[in-house]
Amino acid sequence: MDASRTAHEHCLSLTDALRRYESAGLDETVAWGRHLAGILPQGGRLLAAGNGGSAAQAQHLTAELVGRYARDRRPFSAIALHAETSSVTAIGNDYGFAEVYARQVTAHGRSGDVLVLMSTSGRSDNLVAAATAGRAAGLRVWAMTGPLPNPLASGADAVVSVDAPSAATVQEAHLVALHVLCEAFDAALAGPHAIEAPVPAALTRGDAA
């Protein structure tokens, strides 16, 4: 197939997926951001996990919360479970790959915390097991997946699914959803009763990297 035609079809597929996300998943994602704005400033924690490209996106989300998305604010507790490499390899070696996230969820999660699980297929055993562990521990479990139905969506408290034929398109739409979540989070924090965090001196001098 001609490369330019393939690229055009890729863009069309993403456009279609984003339209479906806007109509079916946008409001849910905004609600997630607002919910996080209610619990993270009170000492709550976000745990996130995925495999492969979805692992990278889970870490993208936690980086936005520990660092910042678009405006200066205080950091919040968010952990990408796959980035705990010693824990992942030890658990995988001793208990099997299906337990690499579930055991960490049991260790770190507390009732009222949020667990975000990302999967293009929704069929990864380690993420389904993490969802089960999260709900058992009293966490609110959110899943970002590809087309429904899938086991991960069935095991979550809330789902944002992207109806697209390829994993690449699902991941690209998931990135948009993550940014929507961060925008909603920041907007909720900036509400009428928000307390602004001090801006670091380096930023006020304009010499930050």
Side-chain angles (χ1 to χ4, degrees):
M1 183 179 291
D2 179 75
S4 61
R5 180 181 173 188
T6 301
H8 181 67
E9 290 179 351
H10 185 126
C11 291
L12 286 178
S13 178
L14 177 58
T15 300
D16 290 342
L18 289 175
R19 286 198 188 101
R20 289 190 289 271
Y21 162 71
E22 185 177 10
S23 64
L26 184 66
D27 290 344
E28 182 69 28
T29 313
V30 170
W32 289 4
R34 290 173 176 165
H35 181 84
L36 287 177
I39 67 166
L40 296 188
Q42 308 305 317
R45 174 178 291 168
L46 172 74
L47 304 178
N51 296 308
S54 293
Q57 292 195 319
Q59 193 166 354
H60 185 132
L61 173 60
T62 59
E64 303 283 26
L65 295 172
V66 177
R68 65 173 183 175
Y69 175 65
R71 69 181 188 88
D72 297 312
R73 52 158 168 73
R74 57 173 280 200
F76 296 97
S77 181
I79 300 174
L81 299 179
H82 69 276
E84 295 289 324
T85 54
S86 293
S87 292
V88 167
T89 53
I91 295 167
N93 186 63
D94 294 341
Y95 298 96
F97 190 68
E99 294 298 316
V100 295
Y101 295 140
R103 196 165 178 87
Q104 291 189 75
V105 169
T106 301
H108 299 303
R110 300 293 181 266
S111 181
D113 287 348
V114 170
L115 173 63
V116 175
L117 301 171
M118 306 190 65
S119 172
T120 59
S121 70
R123 302 182 185 281
S124 300
D125 289 342
N126 58 357
L127 298 178
V128 174
T132 300
R135 295 186 72 178
L139 281 72
R140 185 177 292 268
V141 179
W142 297 340
M144 281 192 181
T145 76
L148 300 175
N150 62 71
L152 180 57
S154 298
D157 295 303
V159 182
V160 169
S161 67
V162 173
D163 186 6
S166 76
T169 302
V170 172
Q171 288 180 342
E172 289 156 2
H174 279 176
L175 180 57
V176 173
L178 288 182
H179 285 166
V180 168
L181 186 157
C182 292
E183 288 166 357
F185 176 78
D186 279 4
L189 289 181
H193 303 295
I195 299 176
E196 290 289 335
V199 177
L203 294 179
T204 61
R205 291 195 304 267
D207 57 359

